[in-house]
Amino acid sequence: MSSNIFDVENIRLDFPILDKTVNGKKLIYFDNAATSQTPKQVIDVISDYYLNYNSNIHRGVHFLSQQATELYEGAREKLKNHFNAKLNSEIIFTSGTTHAINIVSSGYSEILSEKDELIVSELEHHSNIVPWQILCEKTGSKLKVIPMNDLGELELDKFDELLNENTKLVFVNHVSNALGTINPISEIITKAHKYGAKVLIDGAQASAHFKIDLQNLDVDYYVTSAHKLCGPTGVGMLYGKKELLENLPPYQGGGEMIDQVTFEKTTYADLPHKFEAGTPNIAGCIAFGAAIDYINSIGLDKINNYENHLLQYATAKLNSIENVKIYGESENKTSVISFNVKGIHPYDIGSILDKMGIAVRTGQHCAQPIMDFFKITGTLRISFAFYNTEEEIDFLIDTLKKAIKILS
Amino acid sequence: MKIIDIQNQIIEEFEVMNDWMEKYEYMIGLGKSLPTMDNNFKSDSNLIKGCQSRVWLHAELKNENIFFHADSDAIITKGIISILIRIYSGQSPKEILDSSFDFINKIGLKDHLSQTRANGLSSMIKQIKMYALAFQTKLN
């Protein structure tokens, strides 16, 4: 799809921040994989909550509390429908992807033993490596790694070799934050299930780009963050199959998550409240639902087509610049481009782009194993959202060429 | 030359520059002409942690003055290193400890001190002061 079919100019009007100037230049925001911008429809929901409904949920008999509870549970329903979970109670609100992963990894510390094995991929964000390392230290379980190839794709035949009857958990990201590779999670889930292993998919980089059907995937746990898909920061989702979440020990103790408390024994509340101890980020969760509505009002298919168009457009332009090397060249990618210019440190280029108003990410992208694989210390990463334009990419390319000239 | 005099000299040099582009071009020039650090000094113990670009800082005491050797894999960072070396290398530990780092704001490089930049400027400053403190203790 070309940009003239997708009404990007109209969509940009929903994002007031895109009119901002930084360092005296018009902002060009190409750091969407770190966090996406928030449309005014979502911002309005947050301010509406504090102006009209602010109160604690699930407790008060009073009007405001009931209204807030309805909105909060309504947001859960929106997530359940959007991701096609079977039950509302399978959707747990968390503070983000990292929190969601930690709920699961912490629960498994009481389930796993020394003979058990876990499999992670080489393409992971640190947040989907470190909690499992901690888990293995606690339980004595063994952590194995699915390697990747030069294109930045997982080697599934090697995955076959790692699987066995002792495999208890497999955790892979749906999309790599550093390279943009879309992993074949459906195949991974099917293969893991043959050995009875459970699979956790980190969807932080996926859910903003294409439709995810949890029941169809038959995934055991799926986690994501609101702020990657036009929602607020500090909110995320843990999806888990009902029977698995029921058997997973609670992560935090506190109010909201209990059924009966005496000093002798506490019984826990049913799902989803068992994992939602304390007062949650109510406004944020409601806004997460609003963000889902916003994304669906445009349509993920349209978004995906348009972002792919931007990806192809930018990739071709970058490849035409001498000494540019792109990392992550899989045919299945989201709109993320990680690259370096030979002989120039990404930090230097990033600094100059910033002065020209262009926001990009430089560094290791919390994915040191990937950097080690390519034997580099970091990359420049540009990541597009559906509100970016070809013109912005043209300006990036021109500025990049100037930066290379100054720095060479 | 005293630290404050060198700092004022640098402030004056930056004052005549019209925009950030000129400042960056100047720093890039400085970075390119900074002598390469001896590979022996590029050790893990001299590596400053928490920087997006790698920065190595080595110091030695000669005749009661500290001499700094530093390097980075990013050229703008090297430019900043060059400025720091010009000011602090060859000074006594006491003078370094007594000096202010306000000149960074005055030459318009304040944003390089911010946490997100993590380009090592604030870490380098901290490390320079640490060396000064360590050598002063040694001298006493």
Side-chain angles (χ1 to χ4, degrees), chain A residues 347-348 354 362 406-408, chain B residues 32 52 74-76 117 119:
Chain A
Y347 180 81
D348 287 324
D354 170 61
T362 62
I406 297 168
L407 290 164
S408 294
Chain B
K32 283 178 183 167
Q52 273 210 21
I75 203 84
I76 295 173
R117 285 302 185 120
N119 68 349

Side-chain angles (χ1 to χ4, degrees), chain A residues 23 25 344-345 347-349 351-352 354-356 361-363 377 402 405-408, chain B residues 20-21 24-25 28 32 52-54 73-77 108 111-112 116-119:
Chain A
N23 295 320
K25 310 277 176 189
I344 304 179
H345 198 280
Y347 180 81
D348 287 324
I349 295 175
S351 299
I352 291 179
D354 170 61
K355 284 288 181 191
M356 294 300 284
R361 181 79 183 259
T362 62
T377 57
K402 281 179 199 152
K405 210 172 155 191
I406 297 168
L407 290 164
S408 294
Chain B
W20 70 268
M21 189 60 127
Y24 268 45
E25 279 177 327
I28 290 162
K32 283 178 183 167
Q52 273 210 21
S53 48
R54 285 187 293 176
D73 47 6
I75 203 84
I76 295 173
T77 312
D111 55 350
H112 284 271
T116 56
R117 285 302 185 120
N119 68 349

Side-chain angles (χ1 to χ4, degrees), chain B residues 116-130:
Chain B
T116 56
R117 285 302 185 120
N119 68 349
L121 179 52
S122 37
S123 314
M124 271 190 275
I125 289 171
K126 210 187 282 170
Q127 200 59 31
I128 285 172
K129 290 234 172 188
M130 287 291 282

